[in-house]
Structures are given as structure tokens and as C-alpha cells.
Amino acid sequence: MPIIVRLDVAMARRKVRSNVLARAIGISETNLSLLKSGKVRGLRLATLDAICRYLDCTPADILEFVPDGEVEQVAPSKAAVRR
């Protein structure tokens, strides 16, 4: 049950830079970079809430569920977070 992180797309649509978002929501740029790349195993709801409030979006704009077996069809530049 992979979850695809689309934070980079949401940020690009709103023209928000990583360092600005990281500072605004109170996490390090390194942790934000890991989140954007999908190389995290978990995400605190408080962090997701802060991101959504700052970007004026919903969690569905940032996270996408891809059923098993369909991960290979996702663009290779998008990293999947597995259970």
C-alpha cells in the first residue's frame, strides 16, 4: 500500500520555496527535503496540518494512495513511502 508524496508539486503550484516552508512550519530543511523525496517512514499529523495550513491545501493535495502493483506506473521521479 504505497503512498506517493506530492509535496514538491503542491509547493511548485504555490511558488513556495523549501526554506520558506520549513521555517514557517518549524522543521529543518533537511527533514522537509526527506519528506519531499518520500524517504520518510512516517509523518506527524501536526506537521501535515502545518503544511496544509501554510499551503492552503488538503492532505490529498500532498499524499496520494497507489494500490499495490501500480507503483511501477508512477513517474520514476516520485518516490513512494511504503508501510
Side-chain angles (χ1 to χ4, degrees):
M1 169 175 70
I3 303 294
I4 307 300
V5 180
R6 304 267 188 221
L7 180 56
D8 55 341
V9 174
M11 290 173 59
R13 286 185 180 153
R14 288 156 182 84
K15 298 179 181 165
V16 175
R17 295 182 54 151
S18 294
N19 61 340
V20 173
L21 179 60
R23 201 173 311 121
I25 65 173
I27 65 173
S28 69
E29 290 182 50
T30 302
N31 284 339
L32 183 62
S33 177
L34 290 170
L35 179 58
K36 284 174 45 179
S37 68
K39 295 180 180 178
V40 293
R41 290 188 142 291
L43 172 64
R44 290 181 182 267
L45 292 178
T47 302
L48 182 59
D49 177 60
I51 291 170
C52 289
R53 285 180 190 273
Y54 189 85
L55 296 178
D56 191 28
C57 66
T58 67
D61 296 327
I62 298 171
L63 304 173
E64 178 184 350
F65 169 75
V66 179
D68 289 333
E70 293 184 23
V71 175
E72 293 78 27
Q73 298 173 4
V74 176
S77 64
K78 304 299 175 194
V81 178
R82 298 189 183 265
R83 324 180 228 167

